[in-house]
Amino acid sequence: MQIILLSRRHGAARSLSLELRWLLLTLAALVAIALGSGVAVGAWWAPQSPSLQDNAQITEALDRQRAEVGAVRVDAQRQLDAFAAHVAELQARLTRLDALGERLTELAELDSSEFDFSLDVGQGGPEEILDGAAYAPPPFISTLDELALRLDSREQQLEVLEQLLAERRLDEAEYLAGRPVLQGYVSSPFGRRTDPLSGRPSVHKGVDFAAKAGSAVVAVAAGVVTASGRRSGYGNTVEISHADGYVTLYAHNRRNLVQVGDLVQRGQTIAEVGSTGRSTGYHVHFEVSKNGRVVNPTSFIARVSGVE
């Protein structure tokens, strides 16, 4: 292989002769040098690049964990705020229960020392050390336990009060007391009298109350209606059976408002004032018997709310 060289100054030409094998060897050497340089640069860069990538990943993971911790902290604070509000609500409800219990005790005229809602819950016993006793529960757990105990105690006391008051209301409801009319006056007492129609001496088995026609006739105690209809001499009559063998009778009604078997309460309207049967005017004949024997109703009429 010949290479011709030309000179600009002298215009002369020179020729060089190169063999092909030497040219190939030269090119191979240049390629080897280039490859060696690339390997060296790669060897220098390789340890550097993964280190920077790892640092970026670690930084990203730390940022992500910080964000998660911040979210957990915010959620925990929100739950603590909700818990504190719940505890405050429980304490307010407990305070109202205490006030209600004290008021009920006062109204029921019970022994205040027996139902003292201001006292702490009685509890105690020998100390038993459990395994792992070094662990102390968080303060709010103790607060919840204390509130639960106090609420349980108040519920038990109020249940006893409710039972006592229910029994008292039942006793008072069955206790004969009051007048069979809301407005009116005694027009004929119990006992011996002159019959208003015949003029002859007679025995009056009840007490008559003169009242406005159509006004309410009310039961003087809770009981069961055992008769409701017309009766000879009495006209429209209602009969109610009560506890302890007592029976009350309301006669001369214009209209009866209850039927046999009805349960009635004290003060409930059972009829309307009338003048049916053997009567001279609008009134109610009120009669009381015990175990089949007529008794003077005056003492029951004088009672108010079960108190003589």
Side-chain angles (χ1 to χ4, degrees):
M1 179 179 181
Q2 290 185 350
I3 300 175
I4 299 175
L5 302 175
L6 296 178
S7 175
R8 292 181 179 181
R9 180 180 299 180
H10 301 288
R14 297 180 182 181
S15 61
L16 297 176
S17 178
L18 296 176
E19 294 184 0
L20 181 59
R21 64 177 183 174
W22 292 110
L23 181 60
L24 294 175
L25 289 173
T26 302
L27 290 174
L30 291 175
V31 171
I33 292 171
L35 291 175
S37 300
V39 170
V41 171
W44 177 83
W45 177 255
Q48 305 297 325
S49 179
S51 176
L52 293 176
Q53 185 176 5
D54 291 343
N55 288 338
Q57 292 178 350
I58 292 173
T59 301
E60 182 180 357
L62 288 176
D63 292 340
R64 187 167 54 252
Q65 290 178 358
R66 290 191 187 97
E68 292 176 355
V69 170
V72 170
R73 180 177 298 162
V74 171
D75 185 65
Q77 185 62 48
R78 183 165 52 248
Q79 293 185 14
L80 286 175
D81 293 341
F83 170 78
H86 184 58
V87 170
E89 181 183 359
L90 288 177
Q91 290 175 336
R93 292 176 59 187
L94 184 58
T95 301
R96 289 196 295 269
L97 282 176
D98 289 343
L100 175 61
E102 292 176 0
R103 179 59 176 164
L104 288 176
T105 302
E106 179 182 352
L107 292 176
E109 297 180 354
L110 300 174
D111 186 0
S112 59
S113 63
E114 183 178 359
F115 295 95
D116 191 348
F117 287 83
S118 64
L119 296 178
D120 293 332
V121 179
Q123 52 185 322
E127 182 179 11
E128 298 289 341
I129 304 300
L130 302 177
D131 295 337
Y135 167 76
F140 67 86
I141 296 295
S142 301
T143 302
L144 282 180
D145 291 341
E146 181 181 354
L147 283 175
L149 286 174
R150 294 179 64 187
L151 285 173
D152 289 342
S153 174
R154 297 306 186 269
E155 288 178 355
Q156 293 175 5
Q157 290 177 314
L158 289 176
E159 286 176 0
V160 173
L161 274 176
E162 181 183 10
Q163 183 178 359
L164 290 174
L165 291 175
E167 293 176 353
R168 176 174 293 183
R169 285 195 303 268
L170 180 61
D171 293 340
E172 291 181 352
E174 295 176 345
Y175 197 67
L176 275 63
R179 295 150 48 104
V181 291
L182 300 179
Q183 293 181 345
Y185 59 91
V186 176
S187 58
S188 181
F190 174 85
R192 295 180 63 87
R193 70 170 182 174
T194 300
D195 187 276
L197 295 177
S198 67
R200 294 179 297 182
S202 63
V203 176
H204 193 211
K205 295 182 179 180
V207 175
D208 290 341
F209 286 87
K212 183 178 178 180
S215 59
V217 177
V218 297
V220 298
V224 179
V225 177
T226 51
S228 179
R230 292 191 68 87
R231 183 177 297 186
S232 176
Y234 288 89
N236 292 329
T237 303
V238 173
E239 186 179 83
I240 302 175
S241 294
H242 310 279
D244 298 328
Y246 283 102
V247 176
T248 55
L249 182 144
Y250 312 78
H252 306 299
N253 306 319
R254 182 169 71 178
R255 184 164 64 104
N256 295 343
L257 303 179
V258 291
Q259 302 296 325
V260 174
D262 289 349
L263 296 175
V264 297
Q265 302 298 323
R266 170 184 290 160
Q268 178 178 336
T269 300
I270 58 174
E272 295 176 353
V273 173
S275 184
T276 58
R278 194 169 181 270
S279 171
T280 60
Y282 296 110
H283 74 286
V284 176
H285 173 81
F286 177 59
E287 193 172 305
V288 178
S289 62
K290 181 175 183 181
N291 299 324
R293 295 186 58 184
V294 176
V295 297
N296 188 347
T298 304
S299 60
F300 305 108
I301 296 171
R303 294 174 178 173
V304 178
S305 301
V307 179
E308 295 191 27

